[in-house]
Amino acid sequence: MRSTLRTVAITFLSVFLLSSCATSPTGRSQLLLYSSQELSVMGAQAFDGMKTQLKVTEGGQQNSYVNCVAGFITRQVPQSVFAGQWEVVVFDDEQVNAFALPGGKIGVYTGLLKVATNQHQLAAVIGHEVGHVIAEHGNERMSQGTLIQIGTEATRQIINANEVAYSQPIMAAIGLGLQVGVQLPFSRTHESEADLIGLDLMASSGFDPQQAVSLWQNMEKASGGRQQPEFLSTHPAPQTRIKDLQANMQPAMALYKASTERPRCNP
């Protein structure tokens, strides 16, 4: 039994200690198994699917407003990330959310515009979402999921081959451990990283980075305090995000003051 569990541990260790092949914009090592082209194709397919499932807002002031803010943000995106024309769509939906996908796709839900109350706060959200694309978080999560699937299946085969007692509870415990110990922390790391990338993006675009703090104060109010404990959540708690943003505000303000842009996007 002991030797079997040692083999299990070595299997997982081998899977998760594979050499990283990339570095994120904040200097964090990443393992990326998919090409940018593959991710762009998947992003375009997912975006097209959403446009058939949700009501798209065409024309009008809301559409012009969101496109105005997104236009200033995307001009700061390195050409190596995406060199084409970004497609920005406003979805008529009460979700307080937005997203960006590889291949130059941005979606904003109308519900977000009730919480992000000015152009600066909307820029904080769009900058955050574009930050995920710049840092290739989608690629990293898919790569992580692939490794977890390989490692879990290898462990299952080892346990079954050695007729380990209580194999089902062991596999269930491993699954929970991976979720809480690996996947959720990775998701929170991605969110925090995107916050900081987004802060720099909005500041360089001429949006007031201090409004990112106001945004998360609004988000906290909108949630009504209904949130999971941070260690069981894919996102950091609002207060954690606010603290991290404030800690990085000085360099962001320097970018803001140095920017020649001063957007006037009217809701």
Side-chain angles (χ1 to χ4, degrees):
M1 175 68 173
R2 183 175 298 175
S3 62
T4 299
L5 293 180
R6 185 183 298 114
T7 304
V8 169
I10 291 171
T11 300
F12 271 101
L13 194 60
S14 299
V15 170
F16 288 106
L17 290 185
L18 289 173
S19 298
S20 296
C21 57
T23 303
S24 78
T26 63
R28 182 177 54 82
S29 294
Q30 295 176 292
L31 178 66
L32 306 178
L33 301 179
Y34 300 90
S35 70
S36 297
Q37 184 177 6
E38 288 173 311
L39 267 292
S40 292
V41 170
M42 286 185 271
Q45 291 174 341
F47 201 65
D48 288 342
M50 292 191 69
K51 288 190 292 184
T52 64
Q53 296 168 13
L54 296 174
K55 183 179 178 181
V56 174
T57 300
E58 296 181 355
Q61 184 58 32
Q62 278 188 332
N63 213 50
S64 297
Y65 170 53
V66 172
N67 272 272
C68 177
V69 174
F72 279 95
I73 294 292
T74 54
R75 283 202 288 273
Q76 300 297 323
V77 177
Q79 294 287 295
S80 59
V81 174
F82 182 70
Q85 179 68 39
W86 287 75
E87 182 182 2
V88 183
V89 172
V90 180
F91 294 102
D92 187 3
D93 191 287
E94 287 303 304
Q95 289 187 58
V96 181
N97 208 353
F99 63 88
L101 298 173
K105 310 297 181 182
I106 295 174
V108 174
Y109 296 93
T110 53
L112 173 67
L113 303 180
K114 298 176 182 178
V115 179
T117 57
N118 57 48
Q119 63 170 356
H120 308 284
Q121 293 179 19
L122 179 58
V125 178
I126 294 177
H128 167 94
E129 298 302 334
V130 171
H132 281 306
V133 176
I134 291 174
E136 298 193 75
H137 289 158
N139 192 340
E140 191 174 6
R141 290 183 188 184
M142 287 179 58
S143 300
Q144 179 197 37
T146 298
L147 290 185
I148 287 175
Q149 185 177 10
I150 293 171
T152 302
E153 181 56 30
T155 302
R156 191 191 314 277
Q157 294 295 332
I158 291 168
I159 288 174
N160 290 340
N162 288 274
E163 300 181 349
V164 176
Y166 309 109
S167 60
Q168 289 185 346
I170 289 173
M171 289 305 301
I174 289 172
L176 180 62
L178 287 172
Q179 182 183 25
V180 177
V182 179
Q183 291 173 301
L184 293 180
F186 249 106
S187 295
R188 292 195 294 273
T189 296
H190 291 168
E191 292 300 318
S192 296
E193 195 167 56
D195 278 349
L196 300 185
I197 297 170
L199 191 68
D200 285 353
L201 279 176
M202 69 180 294
S204 298
S205 303
F207 296 102
D208 182 1
Q210 296 175 104
Q211 285 290 316
V213 172
S214 300
L215 167 73
W216 282 106
Q217 290 170 339
N218 292 351
M219 288 285 196
E220 189 172 27
K221 290 177 184 176
S223 72
R226 297 183 301 273
Q227 58 190 43
Q228 287 184 302
E230 186 168 355
F231 78 97
L232 288 177
S233 173
T234 59
H235 291 59
Q239 285 303 319
T240 299
R241 303 181 91 143
I242 289 170
K243 182 179 178 181
D244 290 344
L245 288 168
Q246 289 173 331
N248 289 273
M249 193 58 64
Q250 186 173 349
M253 286 301 298
L255 289 174
Y256 173 59
K257 291 175 182 177
S259 174
T260 58
E261 303 279 13
R262 285 296 180 266
R264 294 184 179 180
C265 302
N266 298 314

